Amino acid sequence: MMSYLVDRMDEYLEYRGKELESHGTGSFSKYSKMLDIHRKFESQKKENYSLSDLQKFIDAVQNSRH
């Protein structure tokens, strides 16, 4: 869907040229790292995420690109 919006509808141009396929091999490692963080929060019985908690998910995805 995102590819359609970016490539054919000229929407969300900031995503042009980026990998948009969520089912690619690179996505699995990102999901895995985010799942690790989620499991830590789950073990702490967190029901709501703070801004710093959400940043941990973002950092995990950004760091998995390197």
Side-chain angles (χ1 to χ4, degrees):
M1 181 63 171
M2 192 67 178
S3 293
Y4 181 84
L5 289 171
V6 172
D7 297 332
R8 296 190 182 178
M9 300 295 294
D10 290 327
E11 299 287 335
Y12 305 102
L13 298 178
E14 64 271 20
Y15 290 99
R16 182 156 291 176
K18 295 185 180 182
E19 177 61 46
L20 299 175
E21 177 61 49
S22 65
H23 295 85
T25 56
S27 297
F28 182 75
S29 68
K30 293 176 189 176
Y31 293 145
S32 179
K33 290 179 181 195
M34 291 187 336
L35 182 58
D36 289 342
I37 293 168
H38 171 72
R39 286 184 176 142
K40 288 176 188 174
F41 290 151
E42 192 174 47
S43 71
Q44 297 169 2
K45 303 206 183 307
K46 280 195 172 226
E47 295 183 14
N48 299 305
Y49 296 138
S50 67
L51 183 60
S52 64
D53 293 337
L54 295 175
Q55 188 64 49
K56 290 177 184 178
F57 286 105
I58 294 168
D59 291 345
V61 172
Q62 289 178 336
N63 292 335
S64 69
R65 293 180 189 164
H66 303 294

